[in-house]
Every structure is written in structure tokens, then in C-alpha cells.
Amino acid sequence: MKKILLSVLCLLLTVSINYSQGRHQNQGRGHGMNRLAELEKIKLLETLNLDEESSAVFIVRLNRHKDLQQEISGKRQAAIEELAEQVKNGSADDAFCKVKIDQILEYEETLLSERKEFINSLNDIMDQETISKFVVFEHLFRKEVRNELRKRRSSSK
């Protein structure tokens, strides 16, 4: 049973990683980001300890969620860069600034709404304790990655 679970998970990870590698490389992201995402999924599945079917459903939903989050974040970043460019050039009038700020805030609200919807969608495959483990894991994993990046930056200076 565990061999089947591991085989299915490896297959899902391989397919999703191959798909995301092409997409990320086209967006200028490096191989390290893909390896980090792969590590995160492996550690996450170990932490959640889901059955085979639930793991497969979870990975599909997680990939879809991350893709949507990345798309919205990209749009938000583009709006921020456009606003920054106009402000830098001194050509940003109040109407333009208001529109861009409202657009940026709308993207942020959409990100939060999408995250809430994703977490609520897990109720059919996880109990509240497992969902809590997921939320805590994500927070701690990101914190650990940020801390490690800070260490590396300060040691390289």
C-alpha cells in the first residue's frame, strides 16, 4: 500500500514539477525554485500523513491554487511596477494613482479570498487538525526559507 502511495505521489510530483519547470523557466525563475517547491511538497505530505487518494486530490488542488496565486501575484507586481514607473517619472496624476492603488488592493483581496477558498475546499479530504497542520507547516516553511536566505545574504557580504 505504501509503495503504491509513494509511486503515485512520485508520479504526481514528477508531472507537476516538469510542468512547472517549463512555466517557471519561461518566467525567468531558476531551477532552485523548482527544487524548493518539490522539497516543500515532499515535507508537506510527510507532515500531513494523508492516505493515497487524499494525497492525490490534495496535490492537484495545491498545484492549481499555487498557479492561481502566482498569476494574481504577477498581475499585482505588474501594477506596482507601472505605478512605480509613473511616480518615478513624475507623470502620475491623482486619478492614475487612485486607479492603480485600487487595482493593487483588489489583487491583494483576490489573493486572500483565493487562499481562504482553497483552505475551505480541503474540508472534504482533511479534518480540521490536518488543515491546521497544513496552515502551520506553510507558515513555518516560508519562515525557515526566509531565515536561510537572510543568513546566506549576510554571510556572502
Side-chain angles (χ1 to χ4, degrees):
M1 178 75 167
K2 288 200 177 221
K3 288 181 182 180
I4 294 172
L5 173 63
L6 286 174
S7 298
V8 168
L9 290 177
C10 286
L11 178 64
L12 281 172
L13 283 173
T14 302
V15 169
S16 68
I17 289 166
N18 285 338
Y19 172 75
S20 67
Q21 278 180 347
R23 187 186 67 238
H24 287 306
Q25 287 171 351
N26 290 338
Q27 295 176 351
R29 297 199 180 224
H31 183 66
M33 291 296 289
N34 294 325
R35 288 181 38 208
L36 185 61
E38 181 181 347
L39 174 65
E40 180 183 15
K41 285 179 187 174
I42 291 168
K43 289 181 95 176
L44 179 58
L45 290 173
E46 288 174 1
T47 300
L48 298 180
N49 196 26
L50 298 172
D51 63 53
E52 183 179 334
E53 185 179 333
S54 297
S55 293
V57 171
F58 173 70
I59 290 296
V60 169
R61 286 185 195 173
L62 180 64
N63 288 340
R64 194 175 319 128
H65 167 69
K66 296 235 183 223
D67 287 345
L68 187 54
Q69 290 274 309
Q70 187 173 3
E71 179 185 330
I72 297 165
S73 292
K75 289 178 182 178
R76 181 187 64 190
Q77 186 62 34
I80 291 170
E81 289 170 5
E82 188 178 349
L83 179 61
E85 185 67 28
Q86 293 292 321
V87 169
K88 181 181 174 184
N89 293 337
S91 59
D93 62 6
D94 283 350
F96 175 81
C97 290
K98 176 153 180 37
V99 167
K100 281 298 160 189
I101 290 169
D102 287 346
Q103 190 179 49
I104 292 164
L105 293 174
E106 183 66 33
Y107 288 135
E108 290 176 1
E109 287 176 10
T110 304
L111 283 167
L112 185 59
S113 176
E114 158 53 30
R115 178 159 171 75
K116 184 177 180 181
E117 190 176 309
F118 168 69
I119 290 173
N120 287 335
S121 79
L122 300 175
N123 286 321
D124 65 335
I125 57 172
M126 297 179 190
D127 59 19
Q128 291 302 305
E129 181 181 354
T130 307
I131 294 172
S132 298
K133 286 179 184 178
F134 166 70
V135 171
V136 170
F137 174 87
E138 270 201 328
H139 172 76
L140 294 176
F141 189 83
R142 286 187 184 132
K143 184 178 177 181
E144 189 176 320
V145 168
R146 269 193 313 269
N147 290 340
E148 188 62 34
L149 289 173
R150 283 185 190 134
K151 282 184 210 174
R152 290 182 184 202
R153 280 188 203 135
S154 59
S155 68
S156 68
K157 288 183 178 180

